[in-house]
Amino acid sequence: MKKIRVLVADDHSLMRKGLKQVLELEEDIEVIYQASDGKEAVEKALALKPDVILMDINMPIQNGIKAIQELKEKGCSSRVIVLTIHEEREYLLEAVKIGAAGYIMKDAEADQLIDAIRQVYKGETYIQPNLTTKLIRDFDKMSYHSVRKQFEENSLTQREIEVLLLIAEGKNNKEIADDLFISEKTVKNHVSNIFKKIDVSDRTQAAIYVFKNHLK
């Protein structure tokens, strides 16, 4: 079995060691290096080319955000998951904007972190589910016209764009049906078509897709 090679970057020794112990209980994950600051994380990531990097934000010498930016600028293909104590929306926005593939809290369950690593390794984006409301807080201010051109590139119809924006607001199928005066079955069909067109597998990823495209 090919193992997912993980680099852990955190300035707390206990956190690094604890993560290594937890992650290496999994047969498909191995921690190949532990960095104590952002500068070391960048140097070792470029040299070792891990599949996934777990990146703390607050670190000495160079913080996690600057480290991610430098890795992206230098063409590092490693997928980065921000692992942090910060729930503030601004940190989440900045991390997603600069190209982090995941964002998860340090107090998350081990199963969530392991799931995040596996999803990100497969090329997906992972935002801890209870944090997605912070992403979508401003979506109600978005108009159909402000995102039409971006989403029409994926051949989304006007109705599908409307449904997608409502998904991004966190609404379920029944609420979307009520808002658009259509049946739940019709909404379900739209959702299925949307997921195929924008190549996502769940509502969280759909919300992230809207968020990322609206930033551009």
Side-chain angles (χ1 to χ4, degrees), residues 22-203:
V22 168
L23 295 178
E24 292 194 337
L25 290 173
E26 304 301 311
E27 292 183 357
D28 60 337
I29 298 174
E30 92 178 286
V31 176
I32 62 168
Y33 194 84
Q34 300 171 61
S36 59
D37 61 68
K39 185 174 183 293
E40 183 184 12
V42 171
E43 290 173 353
K44 293 302 180 181
L46 293 173
L48 299 174
K49 297 179 173 55
D51 298 309
V52 176
I53 301 170
L54 295 183
M55 185 80 75
D56 186 20
I57 288 181
N58 289 340
M59 290 187 291
I61 303 178
Q62 186 178 44
N63 67 39
I65 294 294
K66 289 190 186 311
I68 297 170
Q69 287 174 323
E70 185 174 347
L71 286 170
K72 295 299 178 185
E73 287 167 3
K74 292 184 174 178
C76 179
S77 60
S78 303
R79 306 272 288 164
V80 181
I81 298 174
V82 173
L83 182 64
T84 181
I85 59 170
H86 294 291
E87 290 188 16
E88 288 86 353
R89 182 172 175 274
E90 288 69 27
Y91 284 102
L92 179 53
L93 292 174
E94 186 65 20
V96 174
K97 188 189 296 185
I98 64 175
Y103 197 100
I104 191 166
M105 303 299 297
K106 285 186 176 180
D107 61 1
E109 296 294 330
D111 288 348
Q112 278 187 311
L113 177 58
I114 291 161
D115 184 41
I117 290 171
R118 287 173 179 153
Q119 285 196 36
V120 163
Y121 175 67
K122 290 188 292 185
E124 298 174 3
T125 303
Y126 184 95
I127 305 292
Q128 190 171 322
N130 60 309
L131 295 177
T132 54
T133 54
K134 297 181 185 298
L135 269 183
I136 63 180
R137 192 172 295 159
D138 290 337
F139 282 177
D140 59 340
K141 300 174 186 174
M142 296 167 61
S143 70
Y144 164 72
H145 294 289
S146 71
V147 294
R148 180 179 61 192
K149 287 184 180 178
Q150 287 133 327
F151 297 157
E152 279 182 345
E153 291 176 5
N154 294 93
S155 302
L156 294 177
T157 65
Q158 176 174 341
R159 179 62 88 192
E160 286 169 348
I161 294 171
E162 291 168 349
V163 170
L164 178 56
L165 292 180
L166 291 170
I167 290 172
E169 289 178 20
K171 296 193 174 185
N172 61 34
N173 286 358
K174 184 179 186 308
E175 291 169 330
I176 293 173
D178 291 343
D179 281 4
L180 299 179
F181 303 102
I182 55 180
S183 71
E184 277 190 69
K185 184 178 179 182
T186 300
V187 172
K188 189 175 180 180
N189 289 337
H190 282 314
V191 171
S192 177
N193 290 335
I194 290 165
F195 284 8
K196 286 176 186 173
K197 288 181 179 181
I198 66 174
D199 193 26
V200 301
S201 57
D202 61 41
R203 300 173 91 88

